Amino acid sequence: MNKIAQLLQNNKKQILESWMQNQLADASLRDDLISNEELRRQSDELISGLARATSSGNMDNIYTPEYEPVVEILSDISITRARQGFSPRETGMYVLSLKQAISTVLEEKYSEQPEVLYKELITTHKLLDNLSMVTFDTFIKGREEVILRQTDEINEISTPVIRVWEGILALPIIGTLDSARTQIVMENLLEEIVNTGSSIAILDISGVPAVDSLVAQHLIKTVSATRLMGAECIISGIRAEIAQTIVHLGIDLSNIKTKASLASALQLAFSMRSVEVRKINKNTGFSLTR
Amino acid sequence: MILKKTRRSLMIVMTKDTMQIVREQDVVPFRNRVRELSTKIGMSLVNQTKLITAASELVRNMLKYANGGKVMLETVSKNAQSGIRLIFMDQGPGITNVQQAMQDGFSTGKSLGLGLPGAKRLVNEFDINSIPGEGTTVTIIHWKHGR
Ligand SMILES: Nc1ncnc2c1ncn2[C@@H]1O[C@H](COP(=O)(O)OP(=O)(O)OP(=O)(O)O)[C@@H](O)[C@H]1O
Ligand SMILES: [Mg+2]
């Protein structure tokens, strides 16, 4: 059996203690996020896994079956830490402090044989550096998952359908209208048309930074779907620069009712529903009559 | 013999940057970067929007037909006028008939077929180079005071 595996097995307790000390000594470790017992359990498991993996003699390729349990434990820890809001430093320190612990024990044991010590240290460092790469990879993956989930949440909340008046819905769209977003917008809108029995929907795109052919296509689709439901769609909030771009791009929106502002779209909607907006006497305010 | 000094207009690249485009999520940061650069050189809002929309079309094509690629973003200067040059490079299947692809309404993707011809109309300079089996490179330039 090779020296590292032997060391991990025979000196497990000593390594674990020293590792735990290293971890806890790191002032940045947040004990509000993980308990000492939990940390000890994880660390114990990892050393055992590492002892088993290294006993195969393979000390450099961690993408082999014998390292699977180790990589799994590490990935698990990194993903969990990413979700819990640990910093990359805290997560990376986990493996890096094990490197320190093993090195210390190696130094004690082979202090009389510098050549052996040197060789074993190099091997250990290489192996643990590889493992720390795994930590970073999965940590980032964990963070990306969080971001994706947040994106979904933002998509959901940023497409409200507003009942502006009886029979009139308004849908302010803010941000980029990609395929996934369009799906949500369309679903919300059609559902609300059914629920409220509305006959007019205003899609306001003041908050859409650019209208390229994909966005235009999505808008056209939404309008067609609305029409199939027996309602009419008005697109408002077409800014001057967007209008020019649409023309150069060659997109034909002539079949769609468009307005520059939400106010003028509302006005159109009111007149389509035979609602009149007029000023009342002495400028005391506005009144709406039907 | 008198050597006449000719004033050749030379294009100078002032800044240079590359972005990898591999998935849909890369589109928005890319567009924001283009907006940032064009704001920096003082491009008007209309011209910015034209450039960004053209860039958006090309980057979407890259994703849809070539599985992604990379874009070089440059601020350039010629005849004392500054502008933005974007070079879209992919290693996708290429386009066999570029002339056809440049026509309004031609699409192999059941789409509007307006991306390429529309992008060409939106910017000051447009150049496409495609080798079937090797990939496609599209270069666009939009000047600060473009039309
Ligand atoms: N980077 C590319 N690699 C390979 N083929 C491309 C590439 N870009 C465009 N094409 C081809 O050229 C055609 C025309 O492109 P264009 O962008 O004009 O239209 P589209 O993408 O089909 O539709 P739209 O852009 O209007 O949604 C595409 O259908 C595709 O066959
Ligand atoms: Mg296209």
Side-chain angles (χ1 to χ4, degrees):
Chain A
M1 201 194 289
N2 68 58
K3 297 193 176 60
I4 304 271
Q6 228 161 23
L7 189 89
L8 283 168
Q9 253 166 33
N10 302 341
N11 302 56
K12 181 173 166 188
K13 234 183 155 169
Q14 194 188 346
I15 294 174
L16 182 62
E17 281 320 312
S18 146
W19 186 17
M20 286 300 291
Q21 260 172 29
N22 288 347
Q23 291 189 67
L24 298 175
D26 181 12
S28 71
L29 188 75
R30 315 245 301 267
D31 53 9
D32 56 319
L33 294 179
I34 189 161
S35 71
N36 273 358
E37 295 88 79
E38 176 66 7
L39 192 64
R40 183 175 287 272
R41 198 190 50 74
Q42 281 178 349
S43 307
D44 190 309
E45 223 179 301
L46 191 86
I47 297 182
S48 306
L50 202 56
R52 257 174 273 130
T54 46
S55 67
S56 70
N58 170 7
M59 294 296 293
D60 42 26
N61 184 5
I62 58 168
Y63 298 100
T64 51
E66 58 269 20
Y67 276 92
E68 247 168 43
V70 177
V71 170
E72 208 167 282
I73 297 171
L74 270 181
S75 309
D76 225 47
I77 292 170
S78 315
I79 289 257
T80 317
R81 289 191 172 196
R83 287 196 194 122
Q84 285 173 336
F86 276 84
S87 71
R89 182 197 144 88
E90 286 167 322
T91 311
M93 271 312 282
Y94 182 70
V95 179
L96 293 177
S97 55
L98 172 61
K99 181 158 108 176
Q100 179 109 55
I102 298 179
S103 305
T104 312
V105 178
L106 271 174
E107 272 161 29
E108 273 172 29
K109 190 158 181 198
Y110 295 107
S111 54
E112 306 292 313
Q113 298 159 265
E115 252 168 64
V116 179
L117 176 63
Y118 177 75
K119 217 179 119 240
E120 294 305 318
L121 274 179
I122 294 269
T123 318
T124 311
H125 286 196
K126 254 194 192 156
L127 176 64
L128 285 157
D129 286 347
N130 277 335
L131 290 172
S132 75
M133 286 302 155
V134 171
T135 337
F136 282 115
D137 271 353
T138 35
F139 180 83
I140 287 169
K141 250 183 237 152
R143 276 294 169 92
E144 273 173 359
E145 269 173 30
V146 173
I147 292 168
L148 281 180
R149 208 185 54 231
Q150 285 172 344
T151 312
D152 283 347
E153 280 165 15
I154 290 168
N155 275 343
E156 289 283 346
I157 54 173
S158 60
T159 47
V161 183
I162 304 160
R163 283 188 225 184
V164 266
W165 195 254
E166 205 188 309
I168 304 173
L169 297 176
L171 226 152
I173 301 170
I174 292 157
T176 309
L177 200 55
D178 57 17
S179 310
R181 194 90 188 285
T182 310
Q183 194 59 34
I184 297 169
V185 167
M186 199 141 42
E187 272 167 26
N188 287 353
L189 179 61
L190 299 184
E191 201 179 294
E192 220 39 37
I193 287 175
V194 175
N195 287 347
T196 59
S198 297
S199 58
I200 299 169
I202 303 171
L203 284 182
D204 187 79
I205 59 165
S206 317
V208 178
V211 178
D212 58 15
S213 67
L214 188 77
V215 173
Q217 220 179 350
H218 286 149
L219 285 174
I220 294 170
K221 270 190 200 150
T222 311
V223 173
S224 313
T226 317
R227 280 186 184 149
L228 281 176
M229 306 283 298
E232 191 48 64
C233 209
I234 305 168
I235 296 180
S236 71
I238 301 186
R239 303 185 302 271
E241 66 274 15
I242 300 281
Q244 289 191 50
T245 314
I246 288 178
V247 170
H248 277 98
L249 207 51
I251 294 165
D252 183 14
L253 291 183
S254 60
N255 290 323
I256 297 175
K257 291 193 171 69
T258 53
K259 288 284 171 195
S261 67
L262 182 59
S264 45
L266 259 178
Q267 214 149 38
L268 174 62
F270 282 147
S271 80
M272 284 162 74
R273 297 219 32 142
S274 316
V275 175
E276 193 194 354
V277 186
R278 60 180 174 82
K279 232 173 207 166
I280 60 167
N281 287 339
K282 293 175 188 164
N283 292 337
T284 45
F286 291 91
S287 96
L288 293 162
T289 38
R290 254 192 281 159
Chain B
M1 203 173 84
I2 305 163
L3 272 176
K4 235 194 191 162
K5 250 193 198 166
T6 49
R7 235 174 224 275
R8 279 228 271 132
S9 37
L10 207 69
M11 185 141 80
I12 307 159
V13 178
M14 324 269 281
T15 71
K16 202 176 197 151
D17 194 3
T18 315
M19 277 179 93
Q20 300 288 336
I21 308 287
V22 289
R23 51 187 173 172
E24 175 110 18
Q25 282 93 314
D26 297 333
V27 175
V28 171
F30 163 70
R31 282 208 308 229
N32 289 344
R33 188 86 187 88
V34 177
R35 187 174 292 279
E36 220 174 88
L37 286 176
S38 46
T39 307
K40 212 175 260 171
I41 65 163
M43 199 183 268
S44 73
L45 189 58
V46 175
N47 278 325
Q48 274 187 32
T49 310
K50 283 181 179 173
L51 174 65
I52 289 167
T53 309
S56 186
E57 292 296 342
L58 298 171
V59 94
R60 282 196 199 289
N61 279 354
M62 225 162 61
L63 281 170
K64 188 169 171 182
Y65 302 109
N67 250 321
K70 65 175 177 181
V71 188
M72 270 161 66
L73 305 98
E74 302 172 341
T75 38
V76 293
S77 166
K78 190 167 123 180
N79 294 334
Q81 182 171 216
S82 47
I84 305 289
R85 175 162 72 178
L86 303 174
I87 308 169
F88 301 79
M89 290 173 279
D90 70 56
Q91 300 184 331
I95 304 171
T96 359
N97 190 339
V98 172
Q99 222 179 343
Q100 190 181 38
M102 289 302 298
Q103 270 164 21
D104 275 339
F106 176 82
S107 171
T108 58
K110 294 200 185 83
S111 200
L112 298 174
L114 290 174
L116 288 178
K120 184 173 180 176
R121 284 188 291 265
L122 283 168
V123 295
N124 298 142
E125 288 172 45
F126 181 100
D127 179 62
I128 181 165
N129 196 341
S130 189
I131 304 170
E134 280 185 27
T136 305
T137 302
V138 181
T139 306
I140 59 175
I141 303 176
H142 206 55
W143 300 107
K144 178 179 167 180
H145 301 294
R147 331 151 249 175

